[in-house]
């Protein structure tokens, strides 16, 4: 178990550094007037999540531990947006339309609302 957690932590550290590096590079090229770094990271994360998922399902015989390390470790640290999109696309694939739309609405709507509440509570402190 400790070895799995160590690999997961290492993959998470690499995902964090990749996110930081890519965001910084994009901001250096495009400036900071719009959050292009985050946009690029989230879209790249979705591309990579789809690619890894497909390869793990169809081409590469990897253990469940390896999937966890790559998807939850690296990709989870790189962007959680990709996980939300991956889960929503699976709901659409299963024709769970209401659940798919609810997932998008809840995560985006409540995420913004929770951010507002957090900002408000932080200002009151």
């Amino acid at each position: 178990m400790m070895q799995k957690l160590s690999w997961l932590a290492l993959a998470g550290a690499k995902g964090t550094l990749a996110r930081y590096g890519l965001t910084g590079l994009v901001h250096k090229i495009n400036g900071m007037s719009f959050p292009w770094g985050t946009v690029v990271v989230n879209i790249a994360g979705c591309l990579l999540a789809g690619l890894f998922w497909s390869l793990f399902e169809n081409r590469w015989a990897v253990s469940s531990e390896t999937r966890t390390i790559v998807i939850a470790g690296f990709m989870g640290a790189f962007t959680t947006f990709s996980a939300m999109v991956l889960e929503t696309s699976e709901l659409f694939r299963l024709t769970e339309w209401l659940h798919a739309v609810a997932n998008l609405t809840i995560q985006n709507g409540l995420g913004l609302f929770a951010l507002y509440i957090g900002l408000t509570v932080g200002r009151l402190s």
Side-chain angles (χ1 to χ4, degrees):
M1 182 62 150
M2 282 306 294
Q3 184 179 15
K4 181 179 178 180
L5 292 176
S6 296
W7 281 109
L8 193 60
L10 180 63
K14 288 181 182 267
T16 297
L17 293 173
R19 179 182 66 226
Y20 179 78
L22 182 55
T23 301
L25 176 66
V26 171
H27 284 178
K28 184 176 180 181
I29 293 168
N30 291 311
M32 301 281 290
S33 62
F34 187 82
W36 286 114
T38 302
V39 170
V40 169
V41 164
N42 285 336
I43 301 307
C46 291
L47 176 72
L48 289 174
L51 177 64
F52 285 134
W53 190 268
S54 178
L55 291 172
F56 292 160
E57 288 288 312
N58 302 308
R59 298 198 182 204
W60 296 344
V62 298
S63 68
S64 62
E65 287 83 12
T66 300
R67 286 178 189 228
T68 300
I69 290 165
V70 173
I71 299 295
F74 180 83
M75 295 305 305
F78 188 68
T79 172
T80 56
F81 179 76
S82 60
M84 188 269 294
V85 169
L86 189 63
E87 292 163 349
T88 303
S89 69
E90 182 64 9
L91 290 169
F92 278 125
R93 188 184 72 75
L94 296 171
T95 64
E96 295 285 341
W97 311 113
L98 182 60
H99 287 124
V101 171
N103 192 40
L104 288 172
T105 304
I106 289 167
Q107 292 208 45
N108 287 291
L110 288 181
L112 286 169
F113 181 70
L115 175 71
Y116 173 77
I117 296 299
L119 291 170
T120 302
V121 170
R123 288 184 186 126
L124 295 174
S125 300

